[in-house]
Amino acid sequence: MLTAALGDPLVMVRAVHFAACTVAMGTLAFSEFAVPRGAGLPRGFNTMAAAAFAVAALSGTLWLVLIARNILDVPLAGVWDGLADVAAGTRFGRVACLRVGLALAGLAALAFGARRAALGAAALLIASIAFTGHAGAGTGLHGTIHFVSDMVHLLAAGVWLGGLPALICLLLANPAGPAAATRRFGSIAMASVAIIAVTGLINTAYLVRVPSEPLASAYNRVLALKLALFAAMLALAAGNRFWLTPSLPRTAFRLAVAVVAETALGLAALILVGALGTLQPPVSLPSSSAPINHGATEHAHPD
Amino acid sequence: MKRIAFILIACVLALAPVSALAHAHMDQSKPASGSTVAASPNEVSVSFTEAVEPKFSSIVVQDAKGVAVQVGKAEGGAGNTAELKVKLKPSLPPGVYTVIWKILSVDTHRTEGSFRFTVKP
């Protein structure tokens, strides 16, 4: 099932979209909060953020098309007839249109040099991914808690993971090593990791029940892989923060290599997140308040 | 101290999924699944574990011969995004009725199921 999930075009489109939203958020947050005032931004920052917004708009549109194909249960060529119905008639569709609009707004803001407005668009773009997932489908107080936790989780992940390419750009552009910006990013990353951990725990509490066999479901196996990748990323990040950064500028090249490795692991993790979204988490047993439904049957459609 | 904090955070991070999806399941219904009602109900309402999309969801109610007895399309519950209801023909004769529901949850996953109830004055 994992192999099938990874071979699903929807998984890769989601992964590319998440990566693009993450880079847009992280690059702009890096330039706003990590780069000291008055320091110039390396060439490539604006290009990277603009490219990220463009890819987010394109992949977001493709995501909507693929979901519409699943909902309408038609071949891809036949999706155009019902696409407007899905776009206007489902919450996912309306949110997808809004999010593509946000990506284009971010691109326009960058074109006009309105960097903070672009950061605002990037923040809304990545946080609104929460509308498309399980956290956004819940109801009541717990639904709201899960939803808010997911939005904060996404923002923090955007700042940390999305800031890594910007850090690589900075390290490679300046052979002497931008010590101040790197240290500030390190501190921001630490705070982001703490937020990711807390909100991750909250999300887990709502999605994963303690199973008798931890790796019995495809969802748990993919999640275990993702956790392993995060553990490896954190090990690299810890080495960067406590060993390589204090020794800048001497360790600039080694730090750049380590951050590239961290980014590659982060990309792999985003692919797994793309897969997780198409698999059923263990919280599949209904929390029904009714007695056992005699004669009732139920099954979910494979997507 | 900072290193210990970082390692602790790393361990806690080991429980961090992002935006996963799940399927909506039936939570309750009226008439309740497997129940016997004395009077012919005006409608069947089903509530689910997640919010659903009424435009892409349906409820069909069949009598013992497989003839549909619902009227019109299923609609969302007023003020409840996790509920779907459909009106029934008036004065249903006694017998066993099967409710077949097919829903699209707002996180775009489809689920379907069925249950029965009996009308027995």
Side-chain angles (χ1 to χ4, degrees), chain A residues 91 133-134 137 150 153 190 193 196 200-201 204 219 226-227 234 277 281 284 287-289 296-301 303, chain B residues 6 9-10 13-21 23 25-28 33 50-51 53 56 101 109-114:
Chain A
R91 194 177 78 172
H134 176 60
D150 206 27
H153 189 87
M190 289 269 292
V193 164
I196 288 168
L201 265 179
T204 301
Y219 181 91
K226 181 185 171 235
L227 303 185
L234 284 175
S284 56
S287 54
S288 174
S289 52
T297 64
E298 188 173 305
H299 68 272
H301 273 250
D303 289 318
Chain B
F6 214 87
I9 288 168
L13 186 71
L15 297 170
V18 174
S19 285
L21 305 182
H23 294 62
H25 300 274
M26 185 174 112
D27 186 30
Q28 295 184 73
S33 170
E50 289 184 10
E53 298 283 6
F56 293 91
W101 53 266
H109 283 270
R110 285 175 293 143
T111 331
E112 60 186 61
S114 65

Side-chain angles (χ1 to χ4, degrees), chain A residues 134 203-224 276 279-287, chain B residues 17 20-23 25 50:
Chain A
H134 176 60
N203 291 347
T204 301
Y206 281 111
L207 286 172
V208 178
R209 304 228 173 122
V210 177
S212 53
E213 291 173 50
L215 299 180
S217 69
Y219 181 91
N220 281 5
R221 287 195 292 273
V222 174
L223 183 59
L276 278 172
L279 298 170
Q280 191 166 358
V283 74
S284 56
L285 290 173
S287 54
Chain B
L21 305 182
H23 294 62
H25 300 274
E50 289 184 10

Side-chain angles (χ1 to χ4, degrees), chain A residues 145-261:
Chain A
I145 293 171
H146 189 184
F147 180 62
V148 171
S149 168
D150 206 27
M151 280 203 295
V152 172
H153 189 87
L154 288 159
L155 282 164
V159 167
W160 176 40
L161 291 178
L164 296 179
L167 181 58
I168 294 168
C169 255
L170 203 63
L171 289 168
L172 294 177
N174 185 353
T182 307
R183 271 196 299 274
R184 282 166 78 149
F185 178 73
S187 302
I188 292 168
M190 289 269 292
S192 299
V193 164
I195 293 169
I196 288 168
V198 169
T199 52
L201 265 179
I202 294 171
N203 291 347
T204 301
Y206 281 111
L207 286 172
V208 178
R209 304 228 173 122
V210 177
S212 53
E213 291 173 50
L215 299 180
S217 69
Y219 181 91
N220 281 5
R221 287 195 292 273
V222 174
L223 183 59
L225 266 175
K226 181 185 171 235
L227 303 185
L229 283 174
F230 265 115
M233 286 180 67
L234 284 175
L236 273 173
N240 295 344
R241 179 71 180 82
F242 299 118
W243 173 42
L244 294 177
T245 300
S247 303
L248 281 174
R250 182 171 51 86
T251 51
F253 183 72
R254 270 180 287 169
L255 182 58
V257 170
V259 175
V260 167

Side-chain angles (χ1 to χ4, degrees), chain A residues 91-115:
Chain A
R91 194 177 78 172
F92 177 87
R94 291 189 292 271
V95 168
C97 293
L98 182 67
R99 297 187 66 253
V100 170
L102 279 171
L104 294 173
L107 201 53
L110 277 178
F112 285 104
R115 183 174 290 277

Side-chain angles (χ1 to χ4, degrees), chain A residues 112-133:
Chain A
F112 285 104
R115 183 174 290 277
R116 283 188 177 163
L119 175 58
L124 286 171
L125 179 64
I126 199 168
S128 59
I129 288 174
F131 280 104
T132 68

